[in-house]
Amino acid sequence: SSGINAEWPLRPGITMATVTMACFAPFLAPTQLNGAIDMLVASETVDNLYKLIDGIWFRTWNCKGDIVNESVIEKLVIIKEQKGWKNVDYQYVNKLFVHSGSPACTKFVGLLKNCNKLVIKGEGTSHALTREYSGSEFVEEIFKKDINVLFTINDPKFADLQCLLSTTAMRGQNPDSFTMKWASLKEPLDQPPKLHIALEKRKENSEWSKIFPLTWSGKPTCEPSRSAWAWGCMYYGCSAESRKTIFENLVRGNDELIWWNSGINIVDKDRYRFVAFVI
């Protein structure tokens, strides 16, 4: 189960792992998807198949002209085998959010789901890291406050392993000050767990059905009054019509901000939580 303990003391010797939230802008430069994949594979950030898939998801969402076919999937199989990476959990791929305005992204996820050389069914499961939030609660708790959340990994390798998720809110006008880290509270372990963390969403009174990757989302940011926010493809506190104007006024950090072809509004009737998959 998950719980919040804002004063949780981190014991000496516990190592916190930083959740990757990198800028995707450089990978939009290649004119062809294959070029972007080559750049991703060469990046030090990409050290497992989840991060590579997240990158292609971000790319195909924003580059509608990308050609996605079986050769892309075959390329990923070769890369995965050369790197010695593990397959991704089927539930992660099955829940990846796809948008009707991004046919390349939709096709990529569809092909990926049916490739048993890249996905594995039945063995893995996601682990809820936080309680569920309404849209406004998510913005207030995650964007504006520091939190420490205790959660448990129940996995064949790590039964009832207690862990900590810690976030540091954006300070002042500096988006780069936002951080998210996690740690196993039982160390040392012979083989400590590796987690891939994402944001999960559901409609009110429905099952959890959508996943939004964080790997290439950049940091949450806002316009100077802190009433309208944006994080990756998600935005809060503005209408679809005013989103472009808000985007132009967002506080900039070191990373470039990407204008997403389609944006997803964070709304109160939906529910949000962070989840993790054991790699």
Side-chain angles (χ1 to χ4, degrees), residues 173-200:
Q173 303 292 302
N174 180 19
D176 298 318
S177 58
F178 181 90
T179 63
M180 183 183 296
K181 299 180 179 182
W182 76 275
S184 161
L185 298 182
K186 182 182 179 182
E187 291 191 4
L189 293 172
D190 291 337
Q191 290 184 321
K194 295 181 180 179
L195 301 183
H196 186 71
I197 295 176
L199 179 65
E200 193 171 34

Short mmCIF file of all heavy atoms in Angstrom, two decimals, residues 173-200:
data_model
loop_
_atom_site.label_atom_id
_atom_site.label_comp_id
_atom_site.label_asym_id
_atom_site.label_seq_id
_atom_site.Cartn_x
_atom_site.Cartn_y
_atom_site.Cartn_z
N GLN A 173 10.84 30.46 -10.04
CA GLN A 173 10.69 30.46 -11.49
C GLN A 173 11.72 29.53 -12.13
O GLN A 173 12.21 29.80 -13.23
CB GLN A 173 10.86 31.89 -12.03
CG GLN A 173 9.89 32.90 -11.42
CD GLN A 173 8.45 32.64 -11.84
OE1 GLN A 173 8.13 32.62 -13.02
NE2 GLN A 173 7.58 32.45 -10.86
N ASN A 174 12.01 28.43 -11.47
CA ASN A 174 13.05 27.52 -11.95
C ASN A 174 12.51 26.10 -12.13
O ASN A 174 12.52 25.30 -11.18
CB ASN A 174 14.24 27.50 -10.99
CG ASN A 174 15.34 26.56 -11.44
OD1 ASN A 174 15.41 26.19 -12.61
ND2 ASN A 174 16.20 26.18 -10.52
N PRO A 175 12.05 25.74 -13.34
CA PRO A 175 11.52 24.39 -13.56
C PRO A 175 12.53 23.29 -13.27
O PRO A 175 12.16 22.18 -12.88
CB PRO A 175 11.14 24.39 -15.04
CG PRO A 175 10.99 25.83 -15.41
CD PRO A 175 11.96 26.57 -14.54
N ASP A 176 13.82 23.57 -13.44
CA ASP A 176 14.85 22.56 -13.25
C ASP A 176 14.97 22.12 -11.80
O ASP A 176 15.61 21.10 -11.51
CB ASP A 176 16.20 23.07 -13.75
CG ASP A 176 16.19 23.37 -15.24
OD1 ASP A 176 15.61 22.56 -15.99
OD2 ASP A 176 16.73 24.41 -15.65
N SER A 177 14.36 22.86 -10.89
CA SER A 177 14.43 22.50 -9.47
C SER A 177 13.48 21.34 -9.13
O SER A 177 13.59 20.76 -8.04
CB SER A 177 14.12 23.71 -8.59
OG SER A 177 12.83 24.24 -8.88
N PHE A 178 12.56 21.01 -10.03
CA PHE A 178 11.66 19.88 -9.79
C PHE A 178 12.44 18.58 -9.93
O PHE A 178 13.15 18.36 -10.92
CB PHE A 178 10.50 19.88 -10.78
CG PHE A 178 9.51 18.75 -10.58
CD1 PHE A 178 8.43 18.92 -9.74
CD2 PHE A 178 9.69 17.53 -11.22
CE1 PHE A 178 7.52 17.88 -9.54
CE2 PHE A 178 8.80 16.49 -11.03
CZ PHE A 178 7.72 16.67 -10.19
N THR A 179 12.33 17.70 -8.94
CA THR A 179 12.98 16.40 -9.01
C THR A 179 12.04 15.30 -8.53
O THR A 179 11.12 15.56 -7.74
CB THR A 179 14.27 16.34 -8.16
OG1 THR A 179 13.93 16.53 -6.78
CG2 THR A 179 15.27 17.40 -8.60
N MET A 180 12.29 14.09 -9.00
CA MET A 180 11.58 12.92 -8.51
C MET A 180 12.61 11.81 -8.34
O MET A 180 13.37 11.51 -9.26
CB MET A 180 10.49 12.48 -9.49
CG MET A 180 9.67 11.29 -9.00
SD MET A 180 8.42 10.74 -10.22
CE MET A 180 7.39 12.21 -10.28
N LYS A 181 12.65 11.23 -7.14
CA LYS A 181 13.61 10.17 -6.84
C LYS A 181 12.92 9.05 -6.09
O LYS A 181 11.85 9.25 -5.50
CB LYS A 181 14.78 10.72 -6.01
CG LYS A 181 15.59 11.82 -6.70
CD LYS A 181 16.73 12.31 -5.83
CE LYS A 181 17.53 13.39 -6.53
NZ LYS A 181 18.67 13.85 -5.72
N TRP A 182 13.55 7.89 -6.09
CA TRP A 182 13.00 6.77 -5.32
C TRP A 182 14.15 5.95 -4.75
O TRP A 182 15.29 6.02 -5.22
CB TRP A 182 12.08 5.90 -6.18
CG TRP A 182 12.81 5.01 -7.14
CD1 TRP A 182 13.25 5.35 -8.39
CD2 TRP A 182 13.23 3.66 -6.92
NE1 TRP A 182 13.91 4.30 -8.96
CE2 TRP A 182 13.91 3.24 -8.09
CE3 TRP A 182 13.10 2.77 -5.86
CZ2 TRP A 182 14.45 1.97 -8.21
CZ3 TRP A 182 13.63 1.49 -5.98
CH2 TRP A 182 14.30 1.11 -7.15
N ALA A 183 13.84 5.17 -3.73
CA ALA A 183 14.86 4.32 -3.11
C ALA A 183 14.21 3.10 -2.47
O ALA A 183 13.08 3.16 -1.98
CB ALA A 183 15.63 5.09 -2.05
N SER A 184 14.94 1.98 -2.50
CA SER A 184 14.58 0.82 -1.69
C SER A 184 15.05 1.09 -0.27
O SER A 184 16.17 1.55 -0.06
CB SER A 184 15.24 -0.44 -2.25
OG SER A 184 15.26 -1.44 -1.25
N LEU A 185 14.20 0.82 0.71
CA LEU A 185 14.56 1.08 2.10
C LEU A 185 15.22 -0.12 2.76
O LEU A 185 15.51 -0.09 3.95
CB LEU A 185 13.33 1.51 2.89
CG LEU A 185 12.68 2.81 2.39
CD1 LEU A 185 11.49 3.17 3.27
CD2 LEU A 185 13.68 3.94 2.34
N LYS A 186 15.46 -1.16 1.96
CA LYS A 186 16.17 -2.34 2.46
C LYS A 186 17.44 -2.49 1.65
O LYS A 186 17.45 -3.05 0.56
CB LYS A 186 15.32 -3.60 2.33
CG LYS A 186 16.00 -4.86 2.89
CD LYS A 186 15.12 -6.08 2.68
CE LYS A 186 15.80 -7.33 3.22
NZ LYS A 186 14.97 -8.55 2.98
N GLU A 187 18.52 -1.94 2.16
CA GLU A 187 19.81 -2.03 1.48
C GLU A 187 20.88 -2.49 2.48
O GLU A 187 20.76 -2.27 3.69
CB GLU A 187 20.19 -0.65 0.91
CG GLU A 187 19.33 -0.22 -0.25
CD GLU A 187 19.92 1.01 -0.96
OE1 GLU A 187 21.02 1.46 -0.59
OE2 GLU A 187 19.26 1.50 -1.88
N PRO A 188 21.94 -3.13 2.00
CA PRO A 188 22.17 -3.42 0.59
C PRO A 188 21.43 -4.69 0.14
O PRO A 188 21.22 -5.59 0.94
CB PRO A 188 23.68 -3.61 0.52
CG PRO A 188 24.02 -4.16 1.88
CD PRO A 188 23.08 -3.50 2.85
N LEU A 189 21.06 -4.76 -1.11
CA LEU A 189 20.49 -5.95 -1.73
C LEU A 189 21.50 -6.47 -2.75
O LEU A 189 22.22 -5.70 -3.37
CB LEU A 189 19.17 -5.62 -2.43
CG LEU A 189 17.99 -5.21 -1.54
CD1 LEU A 189 16.84 -4.73 -2.41
CD2 LEU A 189 17.55 -6.36 -0.66
N ASP A 190 21.54 -7.80 -2.91
CA ASP A 190 22.46 -8.37 -3.90
C ASP A 190 22.16 -7.81 -5.29
O ASP A 190 23.06 -7.44 -6.04
CB ASP A 190 22.35 -9.89 -3.90
CG ASP A 190 22.89 -10.51 -2.62
OD1 ASP A 190 23.71 -9.84 -1.97
OD2 ASP A 190 22.48 -11.62 -2.28
N GLN A 191 20.89 -7.76 -5.62
CA GLN A 191 20.45 -7.19 -6.90
C GLN A 191 19.28 -6.24 -6.63
O GLN A 191 18.13 -6.65 -6.65
CB GLN A 191 20.02 -8.29 -7.87
CG GLN A 191 21.17 -9.13 -8.40
CD GLN A 191 20.71 -10.13 -9.43
OE1 GLN A 191 19.65 -10.74 -9.32
NE2 GLN A 191 21.50 -10.30 -10.48
N PRO A 192 19.59 -4.98 -6.31
CA PRO A 192 18.51 -4.03 -6.02
C PRO A 192 17.59 -3.87 -7.21
O PRO A 192 18.01 -4.02 -8.36
CB PRO A 192 19.26 -2.72 -5.71
CG PRO A 192 20.59 -2.89 -6.33
CD PRO A 192 20.90 -4.36 -6.28
N PRO A 193 16.31 -3.58 -6.96
CA PRO A 193 15.37 -3.48 -8.07
C PRO A 193 15.65 -2.26 -8.94
O PRO A 193 16.20 -1.26 -8.49
CB PRO A 193 14.02 -3.33 -7.36
CG PRO A 193 14.36 -2.74 -6.02
CD PRO A 193 15.69 -3.33 -5.66
N LYS A 194 15.28 -2.39 -10.20
CA LYS A 194 15.28 -1.26 -11.12
C LYS A 194 13.83 -1.02 -11.52
O LYS A 194 13.13 -1.95 -11.92
CB LYS A 194 16.14 -1.54 -12.35
CG LYS A 194 17.61 -1.70 -12.05
CD LYS A 194 18.41 -1.95 -13.32
CE LYS A 194 19.90 -2.10 -13.01
NZ LYS A 194 20.68 -2.36 -14.26
N LEU A 195 13.39 0.21 -11.37
CA LEU A 195 11.99 0.54 -11.63
C LEU A 195 11.88 1.51 -12.79
O LEU A 195 12.71 2.40 -12.96
CB LEU A 195 11.33 1.17 -10.40
CG LEU A 195 11.31 0.34 -9.11
CD1 LEU A 195 10.55 1.11 -8.02
CD2 LEU A 195 10.70 -1.03 -9.33
N HIS A 196 10.82 1.34 -13.58
CA HIS A 196 10.46 2.32 -14.60
C HIS A 196 9.16 2.96 -14.15
O HIS A 196 8.13 2.28 -14.02
CB HIS A 196 10.29 1.66 -15.96
CG HIS A 196 10.08 2.66 -17.07
ND1 HIS A 196 11.08 3.48 -17.53
CD2 HIS A 196 8.97 3.00 -17.79
CE1 HIS A 196 10.62 4.26 -18.50
NE2 HIS A 196 9.35 3.99 -18.66
N ILE A 197 9.20 4.27 -13.91
CA ILE A 197 8.06 4.98 -13.31
C ILE A 197 7.34 5.80 -14.36
O ILE A 197 7.96 6.43 -15.22
CB ILE A 197 8.55 5.87 -12.15
CG1 ILE A 197 9.10 4.96 -11.03
CG2 ILE A 197 7.43 6.76 -11.62
CD1 ILE A 197 9.72 5.71 -9.87
N ALA A 198 6.02 5.77 -14.30
CA ALA A 198 5.19 6.48 -15.27
C ALA A 198 3.96 7.04 -14.57
O ALA A 198 3.70 6.74 -13.39
CB ALA A 198 4.77 5.55 -16.41
N LEU A 199 3.21 7.86 -15.28
CA LEU A 199 1.95 8.41 -14.77
C LEU A 199 0.79 7.62 -15.36
O LEU A 199 0.74 7.39 -16.58
CB LEU A 199 1.83 9.88 -15.15
CG LEU A 199 0.56 10.60 -14.70
CD1 LEU A 199 0.50 10.68 -13.17
CD2 LEU A 199 0.49 12.01 -15.30
N GLU A 200 -0.13 7.22 -14.51
CA GLU A 200 -1.30 6.46 -14.95
C GLU A 200 -2.57 7.28 -14.73
O GLU A 200 -2.67 8.03 -13.77
CB GLU A 200 -1.39 5.14 -14.18
CG GLU A 200 -2.36 4.14 -14.79
CD GLU A 200 -2.26 2.77 -14.14
OE1 GLU A 200 -1.98 2.71 -12.90
OE2 GLU A 200 -2.45 1.76 -14.82
#
